[in-house]
Amino acid sequence: MPARRMRIGAIAALCCLVAGCDVAIDGAAGISPAEQQRVDRRAEQRGAVESALKALEQASAVVYKSTIKDVSGKPAEVQFRITRNGSAHGALPVDGQTIQVISADKQLYVAATPEYWKAHGLGNSELYGTNWVRTDSSDLPVNAVEVLNPRKAASTLRTAVSAMNPLTDPVKSKLPDGIEVYDVGSGLGTLRVTTAAPHRVVSFAPSLVDAAGGKTLGAEMRVEPLAGDELKKLQTDLDGAIGGVGQPFDALTQVSVSVVNDKLDCTDFVGSCRATIDVANTVIGGVNGTPVHLTLTVEFTAQSLGAQTCTADANAAPDTTTSMSCEVKFRLPNRNASYQVQAKPAARGEVRVPVDVDGVREKLKSEFATLGG
């Protein structure tokens, strides 16, 4: 009998120990009402941000708006519209300059100042500054067609937000129009989304979608979805823009030209001199068979007669030699005198891209039909 009592006591002690553990855990599980409110506020902000990013991700097209100072120093708004398929039209505020951009049928066309092209190392900067240029993202500080695509932008912003401190209390502010927003900030800038449903992205710092080059686009980009008549207008504007591109210069093609032969003929007693120059071109890259546009400049100098310049243009097949000529006429103070004339030729070449306007428009029509435009 004593042995049996000892087993019963051991079992009772074990039950008491387990029951005591359960009571201790239950008592520590609760949090204070103030802390619960903070948890709820953070959860509300996370929900609003994710809802807004999903809306951006699912948008057929969006418009980005930025503010820069115009030539007079006054604020001016620039807009860049882009579909989720990458067709785009508008302007980007690159380091205070307005760069015009068209993207259609997977081709990028840019219109910028000669200073812009010179800064990007293009030898034909003066010429490129007069027309549209077919290029790629390497001639923009930000690959705008990629990073500002609504689907890509939403994904990148989501990644940026996930790296922020999850324990930071939400910050709210009101925009000038009275809309309340969450200001979700990080070292790269601020994302703003509406606090009220349906949640949407109001603006973000470009650095959030491109840490390296985003700062060149300014401190903030405002964003709005495009649908209905606004989406149709984007298609109309793209159609018109493609029609106005003409034959853009091709910055993706390398062209070298050289003078291989030159001949100078001057007519006695008249003062006219003609230079005939053979210009050779070599092409690397570009569209196969696209003509090379050649420009010849010849500077004539004659003792006591001064200097005169003439120019000539020609289209040549790639990797060929073309004969070009131009002439000047000097005023002779003494027709019986002899004058020594020298000619200094210089040539340059560039490739212009043929654009199938009707073909591109048909592709845009198909794209916008699927977008609801």
Side-chain angles (χ1 to χ4, degrees):
M1 291 300 293
R4 184 176 181 181
R5 283 197 297 270
M6 288 178 64
R7 285 198 296 270
I8 293 173
I11 293 172
L14 178 60
C15 290
C16 180
L17 179 61
V18 172
C21 288
D22 288 341
V23 172
I25 292 174
D26 291 341
I31 61 174
S32 69
E35 181 59 28
Q36 184 63 55
Q37 289 178 356
R38 285 192 290 269
V39 170
D40 292 343
R41 287 197 298 268
R42 290 194 291 264
E44 287 175 3
Q45 176 182 265
R46 286 195 299 271
V49 170
E50 180 55 29
S51 178
L53 292 176
K54 282 185 177 178
L56 176 61
E57 198 169 44
Q58 295 169 2
S60 297
V62 297
V63 55
Y64 296 98
K65 300 179 180 180
S66 306
T67 301
I68 63 172
K69 291 184 179 180
D70 61 17
V71 292
S72 65
K74 295 181 180 179
E77 184 180 82
V78 296
Q79 296 188 8
F80 181 75
R81 294 170 291 172
I82 183 170
T83 72
R84 65 184 178 199
N85 296 322
S87 295
H89 177 268
L92 293 173
V94 180
D95 288 335
Q97 296 186 57
T98 301
I99 309 300
Q100 301 294 328
V101 177
I102 298 172
S103 174
D105 191 24
K106 303 187 186 314
Q107 297 293 320
L108 178 67
Y109 306 97
V110 175
T113 62
E115 291 76 18
Y116 181 87
W117 293 119
K118 185 177 181 179
H120 284 73
L122 293 180
N124 294 332
S125 59
E126 289 294 330
L127 196 62
Y128 282 8
T130 65
N131 199 10
W132 287 95
V133 178
R134 183 181 80 109
T135 184
D136 59 19
S137 60
S138 64
D139 279 323
L140 291 173
V142 174
N143 186 350
V145 175
E146 179 183 351
V147 302
L148 296 180
N149 179 300
R151 287 183 289 194
K152 176 65 174 179
S155 175
T156 311
L157 288 170
R158 184 178 287 111
T159 300
V161 170
S162 68
M164 298 176 186
N165 187 350
L167 299 180
T168 301
D169 283 340
V171 176
K172 297 181 181 179
S173 65
K174 282 195 175 182
L175 302 179
D177 58 6
I179 295 177
E180 186 180 60
V181 296
Y182 285 116
D183 295 328
V184 187
S186 77
L188 293 175
T190 300
L191 166 69
R192 291 188 171 92
V193 304
T194 57
T195 60
H199 303 289
R200 67 178 181 87
V201 175
V202 174
S203 68
F204 59 83
S207 295
L208 290 175
V209 294
D210 191 309
K215 61 183 179 182
T216 63
L217 301 182
E220 181 183 57
M221 273 193 163
R222 303 180 299 281
V223 56
E224 298 174 7
L226 291 178
D229 290 343
E230 292 178 333
L231 186 59
K232 292 179 180 178
K233 187 176 187 308
L234 174 55
Q235 180 185 354
T236 300
D237 291 346
L238 271 169
D239 278 358
I242 288 297
V245 163
Q247 286 190 324
F249 297 117
D250 190 358
L252 304 179
T253 304
Q254 297 181 17
V255 182
S256 63
V257 298
S258 59
V259 174
V260 293
N261 288 301
D262 60 274
K263 180 182 178 181
L264 176 62
D265 292 311
C266 293
T267 305
D268 291 340
F269 311 114
V270 176
S272 63
C273 292
R274 171 180 287 270
T276 303
I277 312 295
D278 287 343
V279 180
N281 77 79
T282 303
V283 177
I284 300 176
V287 180
N288 186 32
T290 302
V292 178
H293 184 74
L294 300 174
T295 302
L296 172 69
T297 302
V298 184
E299 182 182 9
F300 295 83
T301 57
Q303 186 179 5
S304 74
L305 297 181
Q308 291 197 45
T309 301
C310 67
T311 61
D313 295 275
N315 288 322
D319 304 313
T320 60
T321 299
T322 305
S323 179
M324 304 176 68
S325 63
C326 67
E327 68 176 49
V328 298
K329 186 172 183 179
F330 290 99
R331 182 177 180 180
L332 303 179
N334 185 348
R335 293 181 180 274
N336 295 320
S338 178
Y339 303 94
Q340 185 176 5
V341 180
Q342 292 183 329
K344 183 180 179 181
R348 70 183 184 190
E350 62 276 336
V351 173
R352 291 179 179 264
V353 184
V355 178
D356 180 7
V357 174
D358 291 337
V360 174
R361 283 174 171 168
E362 282 300 314
K363 291 181 179 180
L364 288 171
K365 182 178 180 181
S366 297
E367 175 190 354
F368 278 83
T370 63
L371 296 176

